[in-house]
Amino acid sequence: QLSGELGSWITVIAADGRVLGDSAEVSEQMENHANRPEVIEAMRNGTGTAIRFSTTVRYNMLYRAFHQTGAGQERIVRVAMPLTDIENIIRSFRKSLLSGLALASAFGLLLAWAFSHHLSRRFQRLVQFSGEVAGGSFPHDFFPNRGTDEIARLEQHLNDMSQKIRENLAQVIAEKDKSDSILRCMIEGVLVLDPRGQVLVMNERAKAMFHVPDGKDIHWLSILEMSRHPEVHKILEEILTSNLSEQPYSKEVELDEERWFRVNAVRLRNKGGSFLGSILVFHDVTDIKRFESMRSDFVANVSHELRTPLTAIRGYVETLLHTPPPDPQDSRQFLEIIDRHSDRLSRLTEDLLTLSDLESGKVHLSQQLLDAGNLIQRVLEVFWDQAARKKIKLTQEVAPGLPKLAGDLDRLQQLFINLVDNAIKYTPLEGVVSLTVTQTAVHNGGAPHIEIAVRDTGPGIPEKDLPRITERFYRVDKARSRDLGGTGLGLAIVKHIVQAHKGELSIESTLKKGTTVRVRLPADTAK
Ligand SMILES: Nc1ncnc2c1ncn2[C@@H]1O[C@H](COP(=O)(O)OP(=O)(O)OP(=O)(O)O)[C@@H](O)[C@H]1O
Ligand SMILES: [Mg+2]
C-alpha cells in the first residue's frame, strides 16, 4: 500500500541478503541481494544509493537502501524508483526554474536598462556643461535642482561654481575696462615690458608714437622689432642694465623728426624683490622744446636787431664828438645815418611792443562797422608816392554791394599797410601791385566773409620758406630785407591781427612770378 502511495517499489532485505518482502514480487523467488551495491553500502554506512538497469522491469532504476536495526533484528529497507519518473520530475523542475530565471533576468535587464538610461542622460548633461565651460561660457542654473544623490550634489556644486566664476569674471572684466579706459585716455604713452623687453601693455598713445598699425597684435612682440629707432634701443638697454631702484630713469629723446619725448622709466618688482619688467612713460615735450627754442631764438634775434642800429648810431656819434669831419656836408651825412638807424630802432621797439600786446591778448579791438573799399583806399593813400618812385602800378578792384566788415580800423589799416609795404618793397621797378576785395562764397550755412587779396609781380617766396614766413624775424633773404629797412616782424603782426579778428590768412607764391596774400575777415551779418 505504501509502495502504491509513493509510486515506488519497496524491498525489505535481511542482513544476509535474503529478500524478506517485496512490494512487486514474491520474495521467496527472488535471488539473494547481499551483493547489491546499495545493500553493501547501506550495511557499511547506514545508507546506500545505486542506479542500475533492472532486469525485472527492464529500465533504469534508482535504488536507495537504509540499514535498520531494532527489536534485535537487522535489516535493509530498499526503495526503488524508475529513473524516468525522477528524470520527469527534474525536467519539470528545470523547466519551471528556467522560465522563472528567464522572467527574472528579463525584468532585471529592463530595470538595468532604465537605470543606465537615466544615468547616461545625466552624464550627457555633465558632458554638455563641461563643453560650455571649456567654450568660455558659464551657464546660469544649468542643472535642475532636484534629488539628493551624489550626482545631484555634484550638479548643485557645478551650478554654484559656474555662478561664482561668472561673478568673478564680471568683476575682473569691470576692473580691466577701468584700467583700459584710464590707459586709453592718458595723453602720455605708456609701455609695460617684461624682463626681456617684450610688450605686455601698450596704450593707444604709445601705439601712435611707435606707428603700430591698427589691429596689430603687439603682445609679446619685442620693442626692438617694433621700433628701429636707435634711441629706443639705447633706452631699453639702459633700463635693462641700470639699477633703477637707485635713481629714477629720465631722458629726453627725439623719436620722430622734431618730435621730442621725455621718457621716465621704473622697474617693476614683486614683493619678493624679483624683477618683473619695466614701465616706460613717454611725455610729449615737443611744444615745450619748441617754445624754449623760440624764446632763445627771439632773445638772440632781438639783441641782434637792436645791436646793429645801436652800433651804427654809437659809431657816428663818437666820430662827430671826438673827430668831427671838417666838411659840414659829411657831418650832415653822418647825422642822416644816425637818424635812419634811430628811426629803425623806434620802429623795431614799436613793432615788438605791438606784437607782444597782440600775443598776450591785451589789445582791445574795437568792433566798428567798416567799408572794405574805404579801408583799402586809406591804405593805398600811404603808398602812392612810394609806388610812383619805383614806377609800380598800384591798382584796386572792389566788388559792388559788399557787406560791411566788423573790426578795428587802426589794426586793419596796420595789417594792410604791412602787406602793401611788402608787395611794393619786394617788387622790382615797373611791377604791378593790385588789391581786390570780394565776398567769398558761403558754404554749408557758414558766415559770409570778405576777402582782400594783395597781389604783386615780385620775386616770390620759395616754397620751403612759406610755412615759416609769419614767424617773428623770419626773412627769406636777411641781408636784402635789412637793406630795405625790414625787421621781419611785419607778417607776424599781420598774422596776429587776422587771428584777433577771427579771420584767415593764406599766402600763395610762385618764384619769379609774384605773391598773393589773401586775408578773409568775417563780414557783418547784421546787414
Ligand atoms: N610780397 C613779398 N614778396 C616777396 N617776399 C616777401 C613778400 N612779403 C614778405 N616777403 C618775405 O618775407 C619776409 C618776412 O616779411 P615781413 O613783412 O614779416 O618782414 P620784413 O618785410 O622783412 O620786415 P618788416 O615788415 O618788419 O619791415 C621778408 O623778409 C621777405 O623775405
Ligand atoms: Mg614787411
Side-chain angles (χ1 to χ4, degrees):
Q1 191 193 339
L2 186 65
S3 151
E5 275 171 23
L6 287 174
S8 40
W9 177 24
I10 300 172
T11 314
V12 181
I13 305 157
D16 57 2
R18 269 180 307 117
V19 177
L20 299 177
D22 192 277
S23 61
E25 276 183 67
V26 181
S27 50
E28 285 80 9
Q29 292 171 5
M30 290 170 75
E31 61 183 277
N32 192 299
H33 275 35
N35 58 351
R36 297 291 195 271
E38 67 275 11
V39 175
I40 297 167
E41 201 185 338
M43 284 299 284
R44 204 183 301 136
N45 303 331
T47 57
T49 310
I51 294 171
R52 198 170 54 250
F53 187 76
S54 160
T55 43
T56 326
V57 290
R58 312 202 62 79
Y59 49 70
N60 273 334
M61 298 286 285
L62 168 69
Y63 298 96
R64 182 89 172 126
F66 303 92
H67 182 221
Q68 274 190 339
T69 45
Q73 267 193 353
E74 203 181 347
R75 61 178 176 241
I76 303 288
V77 177
R78 192 185 71 172
V79 184
M81 206 180 226
L83 208 59
T84 46
D85 283 3
I86 295 167
E87 277 167 355
N88 281 346
I89 291 168
I90 291 172
R91 204 171 293 130
S92 88
F93 177 70
R94 190 181 287 153
K95 220 157 125 190
S96 52
L97 192 76
L98 276 176
S99 56
L101 216 63
L103 205 70
S105 46
F107 180 70
L109 271 175
L110 196 74
L111 208 67
W113 176 83
F115 183 67
S116 77
H117 180 70
H118 172 70
L119 213 60
S120 108
R121 273 192 35 201
R122 292 177 79 179
F123 275 117
Q124 270 173 16
R125 286 287 286 169
L126 283 171
V127 171
Q128 203 181 334
F129 175 83
S130 64
E132 295 219 10
V133 170
S137 86
F138 298 93
H140 178 74
D141 279 344
F142 188 82
F143 300 104
N145 196 359
R146 61 158 182 236
T148 50
D149 60 2
E150 298 292 304
I151 299 181
R153 276 167 52 205
L154 174 68
E155 290 173 347
Q156 188 51 45
H157 289 164
L158 290 176
N159 267 349
D160 294 350
M161 186 183 82
S162 179
Q163 161 89 8
K164 195 89 204 142
I165 294 177
R166 255 199 337 271
E167 285 169 11
N168 289 350
L169 210 61
Q171 211 172 335
V172 170
I173 290 172
E175 287 296 322
K176 190 176 177 311
D177 276 356
K178 213 193 287 172
S179 56
D180 276 358
S181 45
I182 292 172
L183 279 175
R184 200 176 32 250
C185 298
M186 277 178 78
I187 48 166
E188 287 90 3
V190 178
L191 201 61
V192 183
L193 304 177
D194 78 350
R196 285 177 300 166
Q198 289 174 329
V199 177
L200 297 176
V201 176
M202 190 177 202
N203 73 349
E204 309 295 312
R205 189 80 183 87
K207 281 184 194 168
M209 278 174 197
F210 287 102
H211 309 290
V212 177
D214 260 358
K216 182 174 167 126
D217 185 16
I218 38 99
H219 289 110
W220 305 110
L221 252 182
S222 164
I223 186 77
L224 302 180
E225 287 167 53
M226 254 164 35
S227 169
R228 302 250 163 267
H229 210 290
E231 278 295 339
V232 175
H233 292 211
K234 218 162 113 195
I235 292 171
L236 189 70
E237 209 169 283
E238 284 167 0
I239 290 168
L240 293 180
T241 53
S242 72
N243 189 355
L244 294 183
S245 51
E246 300 285 304
Q247 68 235 100
Y249 182 89
S250 187
K251 188 177 186 179
E252 258 177 33
V253 286
E254 190 184 12
L255 285 187
D256 280 336
E257 206 164 304
E258 298 198 6
R259 287 225 74 84
W260 282 84
F261 293 92
R262 170 159 290 282
V263 188
N264 291 320
V266 282
R267 275 189 167 209
L268 278 175
R269 289 188 186 282
N270 64 8
K271 280 184 187 156
S274 43
F275 179 40
L276 298 180
S278 19
I279 305 181
L280 284 81
V281 181
F282 294 76
H283 305 262
D284 191 335
V285 290
T286 313
D287 285 347
I288 300 172
K289 273 260 173 203
R290 200 176 288 154
F291 181 73
E292 274 172 8
S293 91
M294 264 167 66
R295 195 178 52 184
S296 62
D297 282 359
F298 179 70
V299 172
N301 278 326
V302 171
S303 327
H304 181 76
E305 292 300 326
L306 291 176
R307 203 168 49 228
T308 319
L310 273 175
T311 317
I313 293 168
R314 276 188 56 196
Y316 286 107
V317 166
E318 267 173 28
T319 315
L320 284 174
L321 271 178
H322 303 299
T323 47
D327 188 351
Q329 193 56 37
D330 287 344
S331 300
R332 190 182 159 74
Q333 208 188 332
F334 287 178
L335 285 170
E336 271 171 12
I337 296 173
I338 292 170
D339 181 50
R340 215 170 52 236
H341 282 290
S342 53
D343 183 49
R344 182 177 161 79
L345 261 185
S346 74
R347 251 189 311 121
L348 195 68
T349 43
E350 222 169 89
D351 279 357
L352 279 172
L353 276 177
T354 309
L355 248 187
S356 121
D357 284 354
L358 281 167
E359 281 183 356
S360 66
K362 270 193 289 188
V363 192
H364 174 73
L365 293 181
S366 62
Q367 285 285 311
Q368 296 151 279
L369 285 186
L370 307 170
D371 179 77
N374 202 324
L375 172 73
I376 291 307
Q377 196 54 46
R378 281 164 178 258
V379 171
L380 289 178
E381 272 166 16
V382 181
F383 293 101
W384 290 126
D385 192 38
Q386 202 178 321
R389 268 187 272 133
K390 282 184 85 178
K391 296 200 177 93
I392 284 176
K393 199 173 152 203
L394 206 52
T395 69
Q396 55 169 317
E397 199 179 314
V398 182
L402 287 176
K404 289 251 192 295
L405 273 178
D408 187 303
L409 178 64
D410 287 343
R411 293 294 174 194
L412 290 179
Q413 230 170 288
Q414 189 181 12
L415 188 167
F416 291 106
I417 286 175
N418 267 315
L419 291 182
V420 179
D421 174 60
N422 281 349
I424 295 176
K425 199 159 66 179
Y426 299 112
T427 300
L429 294 178
E430 297 176 349
V432 181
V433 171
S434 54
L435 272 86
T436 47
V437 187
T438 49
Q439 183 175 354
T440 55
V442 180
H443 303 286
N444 306 328
H449 277 69
I450 286 182
E451 183 182 284
I452 303 170
V454 181
R455 192 172 285 120
D456 66 50
T457 55
I461 302 165
E463 210 179 312
K464 69 168 175 51
D465 295 304
L466 274 178
R468 301 194 58 192
I469 205 82
T470 55
E471 282 176 22
R472 293 172 298 190
F473 298 114
Y474 193 87
R475 282 161 294 191
V476 176
D477 181 344
K478 270 199 173 126
R480 201 173 111 76
S481 163
R482 204 175 293 126
D483 288 349
L484 295 169
T487 59
L489 294 175
L491 284 180
I493 293 174
V494 166
K495 183 180 76 181
H496 278 100
I497 296 176
V498 173
Q499 278 173 0
H501 281 85
K502 298 189 170 54
E504 285 167 32
L505 173 76
S506 64
I507 305 173
E508 297 149 30
S509 192
T510 315
L511 277 180
K512 294 188 184 133
K513 285 257 166 69
T515 305
T516 307
V517 183
R518 290 175 206 278
V519 176
R520 286 176 190 196
L521 297 166
D524 176 45
T525 41
K527 185 195 128 184

